[in-house]
Amino acid sequence: SSKSRRQRPGARRQPARTLGHGLLASIYVKVQAGLYCINNLANTRPLSFQSESELLGKPVFDLFPVGIAEAFDRDDKEVMRSDQPVLNREEPYEAGGRKGWVSTTKVPLHDKEGRIIGLLGITRDTTNSKLEPLERIRLDTAVEHSADSVVMLSPTGKIELVHPASAPITVRSREQPAR
């Protein structure tokens, strides 16, 4: 019947809407006009929204500062124009008063006839991975300039960092017995 046909497409869309819930990556689908039509929770929270439905029908210009929104919009249009994906590109991010870095993948979506109808985007926050090397440099510098004896252990008890001046005092080889 025509009623059962109308229900089946909605039933097929439901898994797509819940696919990304529980993942840390933002997953979203935009139509050719650049409006969000599917979002997961990870895409809504950094933008200070409580549910995916609050983003539906919005363009990036309603969500991001102008310069970033222009770059995202230009990128989306190029992916759909060229039919070429963007894969794991690092780019700056600013939303909800927070700045950072993300890795973005965008792929064009096609209808049954092969026409481009939008794009699927997956964005992961990579801010911490960019900061970790900087934090390690800061820590190494602080330890080197410390007047105190400093030894840093891993959670398994492995020595990871030793103040150079205290190394002869605190570090022993495996062959040396403990006193």
Side-chain angles (χ1 to χ4, degrees):
S1 78
S2 87
K3 185 175 181 178
S4 64
R5 269 189 246 141
R6 275 189 239 132
Q7 290 173 344
R8 273 188 248 140
R12 282 193 303 246
R13 280 195 298 264
Q14 188 61 29
R17 292 187 189 277
T18 59
L19 175 68
H21 297 336
L23 297 178
L24 296 177
S26 296
I27 299 174
Y28 50 91
V29 174
K30 294 181 185 177
V31 295
Q32 255 191 326
L35 307 176
Y36 288 93
C37 65
I38 295 176
N39 292 284
N40 71 340
L41 287 173
N43 194 43
T44 60
R45 291 194 175 127
L47 300 171
S48 301
F49 291 100
Q50 299 304 311
S51 72
E52 311 89 74
S53 64
E54 292 177 81
L55 280 174
L56 298 180
K58 292 192 182 298
V60 292
F61 294 97
D62 288 357
L63 308 171
F64 299 97
V66 174
I68 291 175
E70 287 173 344
F72 288 171
D73 186 60
R74 190 172 39 252
D75 197 40
D76 294 350
K77 287 177 180 172
E78 180 58 21
V79 166
M80 289 185 275
R81 184 201 65 74
S82 69
D83 198 14
Q84 295 298 309
V86 168
L87 302 173
N88 298 314
R89 185 180 57 220
E90 295 277 334
E91 53 195 353
Y93 170 84
E94 182 179 343
R98 185 172 168 265
K99 293 181 180 183
W101 287 86
V102 294
S103 172
T104 299
T105 294
K106 295 178 181 180
V107 295
L109 294 176
H110 302 85
D111 66 10
K112 289 178 184 176
E113 286 78 39
R115 295 181 297 244
I116 296 172
I117 57 171
L119 67 82
L120 166 71
I122 302 172
T123 303
R124 291 181 308 105
D125 188 331
T126 57
T127 304
N128 288 341
S129 65
K130 287 200 165 289
L131 292 178
E132 286 171 5
L134 295 174
E135 292 300 317
R136 182 60 189 224
I137 290 168
R138 276 195 206 131
L139 178 62
D140 288 347
T141 303
V143 168
E144 282 179 31
H145 293 92
S146 172
D148 297 321
S149 181
V150 178
V151 177
M152 187 172 83
L153 302 176
S154 73
T156 61
K158 179 182 168 199
I159 295 174
E160 290 188 345
L161 183 68
V162 176
H163 183 283
S166 63
I169 300 166
T170 58
V171 179
R172 61 180 169 81
S173 70
R174 291 182 192 267
E175 293 79 33
Q176 291 175 313
R179 297 180 199 211

